[in-house]
Amino acid sequence: MSADTYDANDPALESWVASANDPAGDFPIQNLPFGRFRREDDAAWCIGVAIGDQVLDLRKAGLIDNADINRLIRLKPQTRQALRQAISEGLRHGSPHRTKFEAALVPQRDVTLGVPCDIRDYTDFYVGIHHATAIGKQFRPDNPLLPNYKWVPIGYHGRASTIVASGTAFHRPVGQTRAPDAAEPAVGPSARLDIELELGIVIGRPNAMGVPIRIGEAEEHVFGVTLFNDWSARDIQGWEYQPLGPFLSKNFASTISPWMVTLDALEPFRKPLVRPDGDPRPLPYLDSADNAARGAFDIQLEVVLQTARMAKAGHAGDTISRSNFAEAAYWTIAQLVAHHTVNGCALQAGDLFGSGTLSGPRPDQAGSLLELTLGGKQALTLSNGERRTYLQDGDTIILRGYCERPGFRRIGFGECKGTVLSAPG
Ligand code: CA
């Protein structure tokens, strides 16, 4: 196959890595997501690509000459696609590079997977319109969406310092809260610890300060997509959020999945951006024919809750919610990039955008416990009889994501997992 006809997304491609050909797997040869791994705790991080149940060490395979993934993610789209093609050609059945690539494989079970790149700045958006509506209803039953929602992709600046790798346990945060009937606030462990089912969008190519990224070029600046759990302390949030928005209720921990699934791999799963009739047309800097026709991505999402008692009994946990990125999101990835830079704000390689909570239109498709339990008023009953409103110490949350479409290979995101420990001291 020549370079210009090679299609790394061809559903007929199979790999000599047998586990990559499992139709139910996350990491077929059509996926090839990028991340960082190390073989032992004190070893240096390496850049890897997931293939089946293995990781391909890119440096060992002779595909790159350094271990700086933030340098890799800022490659020009053509260079990045050429790298993806070289990886695909080396891993496909009958490849002449098989021997060299085989020596660069390591089983995923033998490595630690890290935060997939050095995260620079972190911005959290609020693109989930069903989430924004459900939360708004709890506060303003007659007027749930604020008037700016359908014009501005709402967001706030968060902190990158407490974004942790999947598998990391964290302590329940302590903070200031005020009970509705209390005269004064108090400080103590959060009693309303929640999850937020989100996607993480990793910026690859930077822009210079003062030079907005136009919507037609926005996706060239995006390297890939991860799962993201923006743990949230609702009682701290409710007391602190006015007038400047979330602060300590959000920045004690957020969990990111280890693999950045590239937009190249998500290409077959594009969808039109669907807006209800009568909604305003986006302002010109947020609008393009291409964005309307194919700017959304069909990604299925799941939330699994495994309590400490379930873990002890070897129970994998209950799926408490299922939703879909294209159904949940009012704004596309390209619109977020265009909006973030319209004022001249500079993005850097490794900046992370959280999508915001991706709840589906039905109540059982909610991406937070705040919605699933109606603000803590209606507990979920789990399959082993335990009940939950908000998270208890020892609870583990696992997010999963995948794309499926007839005639195409399933593309998975792996998992994004975190466990709640008791409040410190
Ligand atoms: Ca969030």
Side-chain angles (χ1 to χ4, degrees), residues 60 108 131 180 216 243 305 330 358 384 401:
K60 249 185 149 180
Q108 284 180 29
H131 171 74
L305 166 61
Y330 194 77
L358 297 171
N384 67 351

Side-chain angles (χ1 to χ4, degrees), residues 297-378:
F297 291 92
D298 185 7
I299 303 172
Q300 308 286 342
L301 299 163
E302 289 178 9
V303 182
V304 173
L305 166 61
Q306 185 196 46
T307 67
R309 206 209 289 175
M310 287 174 174
K312 215 176 243 174
H315 182 314
D318 286 355
T319 300
I320 58 170
S321 182
R322 284 193 172 88
S323 78
N324 180 289
F325 182 40
E327 279 176 23
Y330 194 77
W331 301 100
T332 64
I333 292 173
Q335 286 173 322
L336 300 185
V337 173
H339 183 64
H340 206 307
T341 60
V342 69
N343 64 347
C345 176
L347 299 180
Q348 306 180 83
D351 279 2
L352 182 76
F353 295 177
S355 61
T357 308
L358 297 171
S359 302
R362 293 203 320 264
D364 64 326
Q365 297 172 317
S368 72
L369 292 168
L370 178 63
E371 294 158 87
L372 288 170
T373 69
L374 304 177
K377 289 196 274 289
Q378 192 179 296

Side-chain angles (χ1 to χ4, degrees), residues 122 124-125 156 196 198 228 230 232 250 356-357:
Y122 159 49
D124 199 21
F125 283 96
Y156 70 96
E196 290 193 337
E198 303 196 19
F228 189 66
D230 183 25
S232 298
K250 302 277 189 175
T357 308

